[in-house]
Amino acid sequence: MQKIKMIGLDLDGTLLNDKKELTPYTRQVMEEAIRQGVTVLVATGRPWMGVPEFLKSFPGMDYALTSNGARIVRTQDGSVLMEQLLSRDKAKKILEICAKYDTLQEVYFDGQGYAEAEKMLHVERYHHNPNMWEYIRTTRIPTEDIFGLVDRESRSLDKVQALFADLDERARAWKELETLEEELKHLEQHKNSSEEELHAMSGMVNKGSGLVELGKRLGIEREEIMAFGDGDNDEPMLREAGFGVAMANAEEKVKATADYITGSNEEDGVAKAIERFVLEGGEVC
């Protein structure tokens, strides 16, 4: 039996319920795991600025893996522990392809997202989950010229993100992006019916590699890491962690990667699996 010493938690569709809340039961289980000495952290596609305040200040949660692994920060002060960024030139190539389609384009610098101002006025066109509309409006800084912003900053980015109004257009953009050179092929798209996002980061980074590297720095072996997720961008994390747990609401290929399938994010699936395999000492193979 392998003892779990680190737990990486995806947020949307995993730790948080559909209303983007952390239930009291799940909070209690997380607190107990931390009391027992387990390193618990969020592992999210959101930038640091987009992590809910109740998780930024969660007692004993010292780290946060953000922007799909592009940046790992210390929660106490938001300082950067590790980062692997996307070059400006590659970011512009991705933006140029996505700009051919009806998209709300976003870029991220230093954990802060910037989005096209005009498209932000119609965010509901680009994200079909009403629970995400206010989050997007309040965590992105509007910009009139996203290409100009990238040029003015003249530095590497956390990631580029595009929200598509039409899923068929997203599929066509995906095929174009896949024709780019090898380093640009590390792209991620959410395929849930309510999510139209396509992410692009450095070709060297994903949630899994970030989680394993953080473990090394903390003296934690890969086999001692447990990871939870539901979407395509969680698949590398579940595959690379010693024990990958997929939610009941996860994509089918994510479930196929996982070592265990727990309840959905509406059923406190994270808490139930932590109780079974960490707090109660259930066998982790």
Side-chain angles (χ1 to χ4, degrees):
M1 184 173 69
Q2 184 67 55
K3 181 178 175 59
I4 296 298
K5 296 182 180 179
M6 176 186 285
I7 301 173
L9 301 166
D10 172 57
L11 294 184
D12 302 299
T14 301
L15 180 66
L16 305 179
N17 63 21
D18 289 346
K19 295 181 179 179
K20 307 304 175 183
E21 300 168 334
L22 181 68
T23 69
Y25 169 40
T26 296
R27 171 180 285 274
Q28 180 181 356
V29 169
M30 290 169 61
E31 289 172 342
E32 181 58 31
I34 291 170
R35 275 195 293 270
Q36 293 190 18
V38 179
T39 298
V40 178
L41 70 152
V42 300
T44 179
R46 298 189 187 195
W48 173 239
M49 291 292 293
V51 175
E53 289 298 327
F54 59 81
L55 289 172
K56 287 183 176 179
S57 60
F58 199 95
M61 190 181 290
D62 298 325
Y63 308 99
L65 185 153
T66 65
S67 297
N68 284 317
R71 179 174 280 114
I72 297 178
V73 302
R74 298 178 179 88
T75 57
Q76 185 175 9
D77 56 9
S79 62
V80 177
L81 177 66
M82 298 163 46
E83 65 179 8
Q84 294 191 64
L85 304 181
L86 179 69
S87 75
R88 181 189 65 170
D89 290 344
K90 291 181 172 61
K92 289 180 69 173
K93 288 181 182 179
I94 295 164
L95 289 170
E96 286 168 0
I97 288 175
C98 291
K100 299 177 183 179
Y101 304 94
D102 186 5
T103 57
L104 167 58
Q105 297 202 68
E106 304 173 348
V107 295
Y108 292 78
F109 292 97
D110 301 326
Q112 174 63 61
Y114 300 81
E116 298 171 288
E118 176 63 28
K119 303 289 184 67
M120 284 276 284
L121 298 175
H122 309 285
V123 66
E124 66 279 358
R125 176 176 178 82
Y126 302 100
H127 206 302
H128 297 167
N129 182 352
N131 293 310
M132 292 296 289
W133 296 345
E134 187 63 19
Y135 162 71
I136 292 172
R137 292 189 182 106
T138 57
T139 58
R140 277 67 158 174
I141 296 175
T143 180
E144 298 297 331
D145 180 5
I146 203 160
F147 285 92
L149 172 64
V150 172
D151 283 334
R152 289 193 301 274
E153 289 289 337
S154 190
R155 59 193 174 107
S156 296
L157 298 76
D158 298 7
K159 69 171 182 175
V160 170
Q161 180 167 295
L163 281 72
F164 285 74
D166 183 271
L167 294 179
D168 290 337
E169 287 195 349
R170 185 190 65 182
R172 292 201 295 274
W174 178 266
K175 289 186 181 299
E176 283 196 69
L177 288 165
E178 286 187 321
T179 67
L180 298 177
E181 62 264 33
E182 188 64 30
E183 190 176 350
L184 272 182
K185 286 187 177 179
H186 186 80
L187 304 168
E188 297 173 352
Q189 61 179 331
H190 291 279
K191 295 182 179 178
N192 295 333
S193 59
S194 63
E195 296 182 350
E196 297 73 35
E197 303 166 12
L198 185 150
H199 303 280
M201 296 86 59
S202 164
M204 303 301 292
V205 67
N206 60 58
K207 288 186 182 184
S209 61
L211 202 62
V212 171
E213 180 58 31
L214 176 61
K216 289 180 181 177
R217 296 194 182 200
L218 300 177
I220 298 172
E221 301 292 334
R222 184 188 71 83
E223 293 76 16
E224 298 171 322
I225 299 174
M226 184 181 199
F228 290 81
D230 72 305
D232 286 1
N233 62 328
D234 298 314
E235 186 184 8
M237 180 170 67
L238 269 60
R239 185 173 59 248
E240 295 191 35
F243 191 66
V245 180
M247 311 303 292
N249 52 288
E251 298 293 326
E252 288 305 316
K253 74 174 187 177
V254 178
K255 291 180 180 178
T257 300
D259 299 293
Y260 179 76
I261 299 173
T262 187
S264 74
N265 66 316
E266 286 287 281
E267 301 168 327
D268 290 298
V270 166
K272 291 173 181 176
I274 292 176
E275 278 194 321
R276 175 175 178 178
F277 296 107
V278 180
L279 305 186
E280 297 174 0
E283 186 172 355
V284 175
C285 300

